[in-house]
Amino acid sequence: MSTQGSGSPLNRRRFLQRSLALGAGVAGLELLAACGGTSSSSTTVTATVNTLPPSTNPGAVYVFNQVVKDFEQAYPHEHIVGKNDPYDPTTYFAKLAANQLEDGVQSYFTEPPLLIARHAVADITSLARSWPSFKDYIPSIASIVTRGDRVYGIPVNGYVLGIFYNRKLFQGAGLDPDKPPTTWEEFRGYARQLTSSKVAGFAETSTANQGGWHFTNWMYTAGGDLESADGTKALFNSTQGVSVLNFLKAMRFTDRSMTQQQLLTQADTLQLLATGKVAMVVMAPDQLNALQAQYQANLKDFGIGPMPQNGGNAALTGGNLWVFNPKSAPEVIKAAFDYVIYSNFNLEVVERSLAQQAAAGQAVGAPTAVLFQGAFQQQLSALYRKYATVPLENYTAFMNAQLQLRPEPRNQTQKMYAALDPVMQAILTDPKADPETLLNQAAHQFQQILDQSSAS
């Protein structure tokens, strides 16, 4: 769940590349410094980061360990401690207030407007401007983390939502696995055809703000908007919004092509796909590694298609970025910043990490975002292609799709998603739920949040 800050659509061919974004994180080392930023009495500075991989993914942990080891050799006076503490917008401010926030935090593209407005991230202008490649960011990417001439973060990777599908189930249902559905009508027909007594054609999320996230994606495929351009007015109670909900409601209760189990998260739908209980889900390509590592899935059995369209010719794009704890000491922020740049954009480290990921059985080469322009991006792309391990031929339709890439709404995004989750839950659990009424209620609720935001 993340946002392009410019508000302007990006060209898909420019945006997509065959690459695997390098995760940033560190080894499971003993916690030597309290969160919130400290430096030791010696010359060594310790910085904490929140991207230690889960122990359920030992290959990723191994790669992170290696990256940290190499970093600390290159920067002998800077020490990195990792925590498996993924960004959570509902706890970020409380952790900051309680001095429990890591020094470097990987977050979403959606978050800088609120974090900057509440002075909850460090101004890293001097550090960012001293990094030669910062000037090479595509302007719409750089704008996500800048306000005026000040810089508050480092974008590291991006994604586009599409349809993950089980190619074997496609073949079993008489569908061509190289031709995923491209329209709502085709998608609904495919889901019906794929549904059996043991398999649901489609599963959708509706909790943990992911219902609102995916509703936004479906809205873009219908040509709808969620907020006004200035972010002051809720617009999702529209004809397009009603059409999205009627579409999902028909699949759930008329076609019975969706799971009976509801209130799902992305982790749930990925598991259902991996275990062959669902044929199609909405997902971002960065989940290929989890599909393989957590469920031992053979990636050759799965394909990725573009979002089916109903007049919008668009799909949602987002990504991840790093922000830094404003309470941390300057030298601690510098250590965390150095680690982020080293682990994500040092070309020697990138190549070594990609080789390690490939050797460790990680999914390397999933389609992801182009962040830079010019020679630096070309060098990055060449490395990702060199070490790709995923079956790129299964993603041809996704990578060749000519869709407009639309960022997430930028004002109070997570609260908007929270307001839309109950709407999605009602539509997927109650055959009598009325889309227009639900959307009007949610829009009224969210408009109050926008009004309060404008007044503060």
Side-chain angles (χ1 to χ4, degrees):
M1 294 182 279
S2 54
T3 304
Q4 301 281 355
S6 68
S8 61
L10 302 174
N11 178 274
R12 184 183 184 88
R13 282 188 179 281
R14 188 181 183 198
F15 192 76
L16 288 178
Q17 68 175 5
R18 296 170 178 176
S19 68
L20 175 70
L22 284 176
V26 294
L29 304 176
E30 182 181 2
L31 187 64
L32 297 178
C35 295
T38 60
S39 60
S40 68
S41 56
S42 69
T43 56
T44 298
V45 173
T46 296
T48 56
V49 296
N50 73 328
T51 49
L52 175 67
S55 59
T56 53
N57 193 343
V61 172
Y62 170 79
V63 173
F64 282 159
N65 279 335
Q66 291 300 118
V67 172
V68 167
K69 179 181 178 181
D70 293 343
F71 171 78
E72 293 180 346
Q73 288 179 347
Y75 293 81
H77 300 296
E78 296 182 346
H79 177 54
I80 297 297
V81 174
K83 295 179 66 179
N84 180 230
D85 184 25
Y87 174 80
D88 183 345
T90 66
T91 61
Y92 181 92
F93 294 103
K95 288 181 178 178
L96 177 62
N99 295 322
Q100 295 178 350
L101 191 69
E102 293 84 4
D103 303 303
V105 177
Q106 184 170 288
S107 178
Y108 313 142
F109 280 9
T110 49
E111 302 307 275
L114 180 61
L115 299 180
I116 294 170
R118 294 182 62 174
H119 308 289
V121 290
D123 182 333
I124 59 164
T125 303
S126 296
L127 289 170
R129 300 294 184 194
S130 67
W131 175 40
S133 295
F134 188 83
K135 62 178 175 33
D136 296 326
Y137 273 119
I138 294 170
S140 60
I141 297 295
S143 70
I144 296 170
V145 294
T146 55
R147 292 295 179 273
D149 63 349
R150 313 310 295 175
V151 182
Y152 296 92
I154 297 295
V156 290
N157 57 56
Y159 67 83
V160 179
L161 288 178
I163 300 295
F164 273 34
Y165 61 93
N166 186 312
R167 292 173 59 87
K168 285 188 172 180
L169 292 177
F170 264 49
Q171 291 173 316
L175 298 169
D176 185 343
D178 293 326
K179 295 181 178 179
T182 58
T183 66
W184 281 16
E185 183 178 359
E186 281 188 351
F187 183 75
R188 187 175 170 182
Y190 276 41
R192 284 197 300 262
Q193 199 164 337
L194 288 159
T195 298
S196 68
S197 60
K198 297 181 179 178
V199 178
F202 177 53
E204 183 55 287
T205 59
S206 61
T207 62
N209 291 6
Q210 295 173 10
W213 178 38
H214 281 198
F215 173 83
T216 300
N217 182 43
W218 284 112
M219 278 285 277
Y220 289 168
T221 70
D225 293 309
L226 280 293
E227 294 178 350
S228 57
D230 61 3
T232 62
K233 186 173 178 55
L235 299 178
F236 52 75
N237 55 333
S238 62
T239 301
Q240 292 91 343
V242 171
S243 71
V244 167
L245 297 184
N246 277 329
F247 172 65
L248 295 174
K249 185 179 177 182
M251 293 183 69
R252 174 71 175 92
F253 294 108
T254 302
D255 301 346
R256 299 187 181 280
S257 60
M258 296 182 69
T259 54
Q260 292 187 12
Q261 178 188 0
Q262 291 298 329
L263 308 183
L264 302 172
T265 65
Q266 177 177 267
D268 297 325
T269 60
L270 188 67
Q271 182 178 25
L272 291 170
L273 179 76
T275 54
K277 296 178 180 177
V278 165
M280 299 187 292
V281 300
V282 174
M283 201 69 65
D286 60 1
Q287 292 302 306
L288 285 172
N289 196 41
L291 182 63
Q292 176 179 269
Q294 294 184 22
Y295 304 107
Q296 291 74 52
N298 184 348
L299 295 186
K300 293 183 179 178
D301 294 338
F302 297 90
I304 306 176
M307 282 304 301
Q309 299 297 308
N310 191 43
N313 197 40
L316 182 149
T317 183
N320 295 308
L321 52 79
W322 281 85
V323 294
F324 301 89
N325 189 332
K327 292 185 175 181
S328 300
E331 64 271 23
V332 175
I333 293 175
K334 180 181 182 304
F337 175 88
D338 288 342
Y339 171 74
V340 169
I341 299 302
Y342 178 88
S343 58
N344 287 280
F345 300 122
N346 180 303
L347 292 176
E348 292 183 0
V349 175
V350 169
E351 178 161 18
R352 191 160 57 241
S353 295
L354 288 173
Q356 290 170 344
Q357 289 176 46
Q362 300 288 295
V364 178
T368 184
V370 169
L371 302 181
F372 302 94
Q373 51 195 354
F376 184 59
Q377 183 63 56
Q378 293 172 7
Q379 292 172 301
L380 285 171
S381 299
L383 291 176
Y384 299 142
R385 287 194 297 271
K386 179 179 179 181
Y387 292 98
T389 63
V390 298
L392 293 170
E393 65 275 12
N394 289 0
Y395 320 137
T396 300
F398 177 75
M399 293 188 291
N400 290 341
Q402 297 293 306
L403 299 181
Q404 183 185 66
L405 303 183
R406 296 188 60 183
E408 295 168 272
R410 62 186 307 171
N411 193 13
Q412 303 292 335
T413 312
Q414 298 300 331
K415 291 182 179 178
M416 185 188 70
Y417 291 165
L420 286 166
D421 266 7
V423 175
M424 292 285 280
Q425 292 166 14
I427 287 298
L428 296 175
T429 59
D430 181 2
K432 297 181 180 179
D434 179 61
E436 186 172 0
T437 298
L438 289 167
L439 286 175
N440 284 335
Q441 292 172 344
H444 176 72
Q445 173 190 346
F446 181 59
Q447 187 60 52
Q448 293 178 320
I449 294 173
L450 291 179
D451 292 343
Q452 291 171 359
S453 173
S454 299
S456 62

